[in-house]
Amino acid sequence: MEIDLRGWLLMGSNALLYWLLQMLNDVSGASGITLSLNALYLVIPAACMRQRWALLLVFATGWLIDAPLPVAFGFHSIIFAIVVTLLHAFQRGLSRAGLGQLVLVALGVNTVLILVQSLLLAGPLLGNGAYWVRIASDLAFSSLALPLIGWWFFSWERWLLMICGSGSEAPETT
C-alpha cells in the first residue's frame, strides 16, 4: 500500500487557512465584518482525492471549524460532506481547471454554503431583517475577499502538492 501525502498536505493547508481566517476575523470583527470562505476547504480535496479520503479530510476540517462555535457537533462536517460529494461528480473537470476557474467554482459554492448555513442557523431570527442584512454584508465581503485569498490558497495547495511529488490531478480509478 502506497502512502498518499495529499490528505496530510491538504489538512495542514486547511488548518493554516482556518488559523489565518480566525486571526483576520478577530481583527475585522470590531467593524462588524466576518469572512466565511468555507468553499476553499473543499474544492481542491474534491478535485484531487479519492472520495472517501476527501470526505475524511472535510469531516476533520468541519470538526475544526465547529470546535469554538455554538453549533451541534458535526454541523459543518455534514454540510461539507454533502458539498464534496456533489463536487466529486465533477472531479475530472475540476482537476484540469485553471486557478481562475477554481476561484469561480469556489465563489458559487461559498455563496450556497453561506445561504444554507444561515437558513439552518436562523431559528427565531428567520423573520428579522437585521439578521439578513448582516448575512448579506458578510456574503458581500466574503465574495470580494474570496478571489484574492482563493487565488493565493489554491496556488499554495497546488505548489505544495507539486513540490512534494503529488499532483493535483484526479486519482486513477481501480
Side-chain angles (χ1 to χ4, degrees), residues 148-160:
L148 297 173
I149 296 171
W151 195 277
W152 166 79
F153 187 66
F154 291 150
S155 298
W156 161 259
E157 285 183 322
R158 282 189 165 180
W159 175 81
L160 193 60

Side-chain angles (χ1 to χ4, degrees), residues 42-158:
L42 310 176
V43 174
I44 294 292
C48 74
M49 295 180 75
R50 296 190 196 289
Q51 187 173 12
R52 64 180 168 192
W53 294 110
L55 288 172
L56 184 64
L57 172 67
V58 298
F59 260 91
T61 303
W63 290 331
L64 178 69
I65 293 170
D66 284 346
L69 297 177
V71 295
F73 179 74
F75 176 78
H76 284 91
S77 297
I78 300 291
I79 294 172
F80 287 178
I82 293 168
V83 171
V84 163
T85 301
L86 292 173
L87 285 176
H88 200 268
F90 304 100
Q91 185 179 42
R92 294 285 175 211
L94 284 175
S95 66
R96 291 188 306 261
L99 290 177
Q101 293 165 325
L102 290 175
V103 167
L104 288 175
V105 168
L107 273 169
V109 169
N110 202 56
T111 301
V112 170
L113 281 172
I114 289 173
L115 293 174
V116 166
Q117 291 170 5
S118 300
L119 285 171
L120 291 175
L121 295 174
L125 297 174
L126 198 56
N128 189 345
Y131 176 74
W132 292 107
V133 168
R134 172 65 191 259
I135 298 302
S137 67
D138 287 350
L139 179 62
F141 283 113
S142 296
S143 295
L144 290 172
L146 191 135
L148 297 173
I149 296 171
W151 195 277
W152 166 79
F153 187 66
F154 291 150
S155 298
W156 161 259
E157 285 183 322
R158 282 189 165 180

